[in-house]
Amino acid sequence: MPAGQPREKTPLVDFVIVGAQKCGTTALGQFLARHPEIGMSSQKEVHLFDQPDYAPGTTAAEIDARYRRYFAHVSEAKVRGEATPIYMYLPGVAAELKRYNPDIKLIVLLRDPVERALSAYYMQRARARETKPLWLALLLEPWRLRRDRDVRRWRSAAREHGYRSRGLYSLQLRELYRHFEQRRILIVRCDDLRDDHDATLRRVLAFLDVSTAVRIPPEIVFGGQAGRRPHRSCRAILKLSYAVEYRRQRRLGVG
């Protein structure tokens, strides 16, 4: 087989880091890319299944034709994966992942939803896609989401302003469990990846069925966000608004 050509197999992708946004998906993707048996996509977020022109029912061969250029550099990898955090959040994606590859493995990273919401807000501020103060952005979120008729468009409110809603992990996990057996989903706490790096990464490698003897050193992929304020009142209100969600997460064993 010519060098640089991916091995012929369908489906091409064996696992996906499906979310959640601002929970360490970039860091985990970079760590996994250093493992000799793992081939990560050349572009971290491929955004294949959430593209505005993606048609439900697209065949595995057609999906692989779109995927192929992102994996040409890892033709001999034992397993291949990508990381697109919005896959966990957008409706319909879980069903398409299952149809594409019934044996695909999904990795979910979670973080306290209050911290996640604040981090997402400051990311959008840095991108100049949010001009409102935090309290107003949170107040406007339900209205922005309700008036969003096409969640798949690139600048949709679902993509850019789902500060609180993206932290409703229990709803998103239930959708994943509706389509996949529990053994095909691995939940990783963002704090564990940071504070217990080696043990957490070994758990991920074992899940992917690659060598756990390879040690990948920890590093800080992203540090703090410039200009971030304490937002004590907004934090307290957010925490209160997640009271039911915290209970739902505990019932799912991820609280």
Side-chain angles (χ1 to χ4, degrees):
M1 182 181 296
Q5 292 296 314
R7 69 187 188 278
E8 292 299 323
K9 80 175 186 80
T10 299
L12 188 68
V13 174
D14 304 286
F15 73 93
V16 179
I17 302 171
V18 294
Q21 181 197 54
K22 306 306 293 180
C23 292
T25 59
T26 297
L28 181 59
Q30 290 187 19
F31 295 146
L32 295 182
R34 296 176 196 161
H35 194 288
E37 295 178 290
I38 298 175
M40 295 298 295
S41 58
S42 56
Q43 179 176 307
K44 183 243 176 179
E45 296 188 23
V46 175
H47 285 289
L48 194 155
F49 291 93
D50 65 305
Q51 288 184 10
D53 65 347
Y54 179 85
T58 302
T59 67
E62 290 170 330
I63 291 169
D64 278 347
R66 298 172 75 169
Y67 258 142
R68 203 166 297 282
R69 66 189 179 98
Y70 297 102
F71 294 95
H73 64 297
V74 287
S75 59
E76 300 304 317
K78 179 180 177 181
V79 296
R80 296 192 182 107
E82 64 127 325
T84 302
I86 203 167
Y87 285 172
M88 177 174 160
Y89 179 62
L90 284 189
V93 174
E96 288 302 300
L97 285 167
K98 172 75 172 189
R99 201 181 51 75
Y100 162 65
N101 181 0
D103 297 324
I104 203 165
K105 295 179 179 180
L106 307 179
I107 300 175
V108 175
L109 285 104
L110 299 181
R111 177 185 187 184
D112 182 274
V114 173
E115 296 303 318
R116 196 224 69 81
L118 295 177
S119 184
Y121 170 78
Y122 276 100
M123 177 181 70
Q124 294 303 89
R125 292 278 292 190
R127 291 175 174 177
R129 294 177 184 174
E130 180 58 83
T131 59
K132 304 291 190 294
L134 177 62
W135 68 269
L136 185 54
L138 293 172
L139 195 63
L140 288 174
E141 180 180 339
W143 176 79
R144 283 169 159 174
L145 295 177
R146 276 197 303 270
R147 67 191 292 268
D148 196 351
R149 297 181 180 178
D150 182 7
V151 297
R152 285 179 176 265
R153 67 183 177 86
W154 289 124
R155 297 295 299 275
S156 71
R159 291 185 189 274
E160 298 189 347
H161 303 304
Y163 306 121
R164 181 181 177 276
S165 62
R166 283 209 190 198
L168 298 173
Y169 305 137
S170 64
L171 304 180
Q172 299 164 56
L173 287 170
R174 282 173 182 158
E175 176 66 6
L176 294 182
Y177 289 137
R178 195 163 72 86
H179 295 283
F180 292 93
E181 297 174 87
Q182 192 166 348
R183 65 189 179 89
R184 299 214 166 270
I185 300 172
L186 179 68
I187 297 174
V188 177
R189 301 295 304 191
C190 176
D191 290 350
D192 292 340
L193 186 62
R194 181 194 62 211
D195 299 335
D196 196 5
H197 174 87
D198 288 345
T200 303
L201 208 52
R202 281 195 300 271
R203 189 160 67 92
V204 175
L205 299 180
F207 174 70
L208 296 178
D209 194 26
V210 296
S211 174
T212 58
V214 176
R215 184 177 186 269
I216 300 162
E219 67 172 272
I220 297 174
V221 175
F222 287 121
Q225 292 164 304
R228 185 163 171 170
R229 295 165 50 199
H231 296 292
R232 291 184 181 87
S233 296
C234 285
R235 279 176 185 273
I237 293 169
L238 268 173
K239 193 172 184 66
L240 184 62
S241 79
Y242 280 126
V244 173
E245 171 60 19
Y246 285 136
R247 289 197 294 273
R248 288 173 176 163
Q249 288 182 33
R250 285 194 291 272
R251 283 199 292 270
L252 287 173
V254 297

